[in-house]
Amino acid sequence: MRRLVWVLAALLLAPGRLVAQRAGDDQHWRTQREQLVATWLVPYGITDTATLRAMRTVPRHEFVPPHLRELAYEDRPLPIGHDATISQPFIVALMTQLIAPRAGMRVLEIGTGSGYQAAVLAAIGCRVWTIEIVAALATSARARLERLGYQGIEVRHGDGWAGWPEQAPFDAILVTAAPDTIPPALVAQLARGGRMVLPVTNRDGSQDLVVVEKDASGRLTERRVAPVRFVRLQREVR
């Protein structure tokens, strides 16, 4: 009888222990995110309030392979399979800040990857259309974003070079892989007054992060922000 009581007690206490464990895990990851923001984002020029809030709340550890979770809040890119990576947090924050994000903004993302950048944008309140060229990544990102409860994100499997014309124009466009030239279709789909941020590969193989702005008259200006290193933009749908 005593053994039966112990078993019943264990069953009754188990849910409470599970809740406590989850709470501890949540606190662990919150602390990691706060440290990331304090150590790698704010000191290096990320000042946009909405961007910092999203970086503090989006669980990057959910967007990396399980065996790399303890590295999720280091400021480094990590492999996610299929020759793709999740960008380092500073680059995600910088690209987000450069579009001057705001709630209600319509954003096109080229290169969904694991879905982390889309989640950051959605956490700010942006409406996101994101295109991934690798079918397996598109499928897993869509499922992950749904599981985590992110709203206002549509994921498409396809060639991002052509953009998403039926949803254009976009207030902002983010490209998370490096083309040799700025895709003309993306320029055409950028709204007047909008910004596109993308890495561009130079003739010598180096890459620069570029901001393209379209003014109210449709005139374009470009400025180079920083040297970067991204995977090359692929055109072959897989």
Side-chain angles (χ1 to χ4, degrees):
M1 175 62 71
R2 181 175 297 176
R3 180 179 179 82
L4 178 59
V5 170
W6 286 347
V7 171
L8 290 173
L11 289 173
L12 290 171
L13 288 173
R17 289 175 180 169
L18 182 59
V19 169
Q21 180 64 48
R22 287 176 177 169
D25 287 347
D26 289 345
Q27 183 57 52
H28 169 72
W29 297 122
R30 281 196 297 270
T31 299
Q32 294 287 307
R33 289 193 292 276
E34 288 292 342
Q35 290 176 348
L36 170 70
V37 169
T39 304
W40 292 108
L41 303 189
V42 173
Y44 291 94
I46 305 302
T47 59
D48 179 69
T49 302
T51 299
L52 290 172
R53 186 185 308 116
M55 297 299 290
R56 286 188 173 102
T57 57
V58 177
R60 189 172 187 254
H61 63 278
E62 295 282 1
F63 293 85
V64 303
H67 68 283
L68 296 176
R69 281 192 163 193
E70 287 301 327
L71 303 177
Y73 298 104
E74 294 186 7
D75 190 44
R76 56 185 287 189
L78 294 170
I80 57 173
H82 306 279
D83 298 320
T85 61
I86 181 174
S87 296
Q88 70 186 88
F90 174 77
I91 291 295
V92 172
L94 176 61
M95 293 180 72
T96 303
Q97 176 170 274
L98 286 170
I99 66 170
R102 64 183 184 276
M105 177 180 277
R106 293 169 54 84
V107 183
L108 173 65
E109 180 194 23
I110 307 302
T112 312
S114 64
Y116 179 64
Q117 175 72 81
V120 169
L121 293 167
I124 294 171
C126 299
R127 182 80 170 86
V128 184
W129 289 263
T130 179
I131 304 173
E132 172 56 52
I133 201 165
V134 179
L137 289 176
T139 299
S140 62
R142 184 183 297 109
R144 183 178 299 108
L145 291 163
E146 290 177 357
R147 174 175 61 82
L148 294 173
Y150 288 98
Q151 303 293 318
I153 303 175
E154 292 189 34
V155 181
R156 169 183 280 184
H157 171 230
D159 178 6
W161 183 270
W164 203 318
E166 60 269 35
Q167 293 294 343
F170 298 98
D171 300 311
I173 299 175
L174 292 181
V175 184
T176 61
D180 294 329
T181 59
I182 299 172
L186 300 185
V187 174
Q189 292 171 35
L190 184 64
R192 294 188 177 192
R195 292 182 180 181
M196 174 163 48
V197 179
L198 75 167
V200 178
T201 303
N202 303 310
R203 290 183 179 180
D204 63 1
S206 65
Q207 297 175 0
D208 289 311
L209 191 64
V210 176
V211 177
V212 179
E213 296 186 73
K214 183 183 287 188
D215 68 16
S217 67
R219 185 174 63 91
L220 300 174
T221 58
E222 297 179 20
R223 60 187 172 96
R224 294 177 182 265
V225 176
V228 289
R229 175 56 61 186
F230 280 76
V231 298
R232 300 293 289 270
L233 182 66
Q234 302 295 317
R235 298 294 310 281
E236 183 179 349
V237 178
R238 293 179 283 160

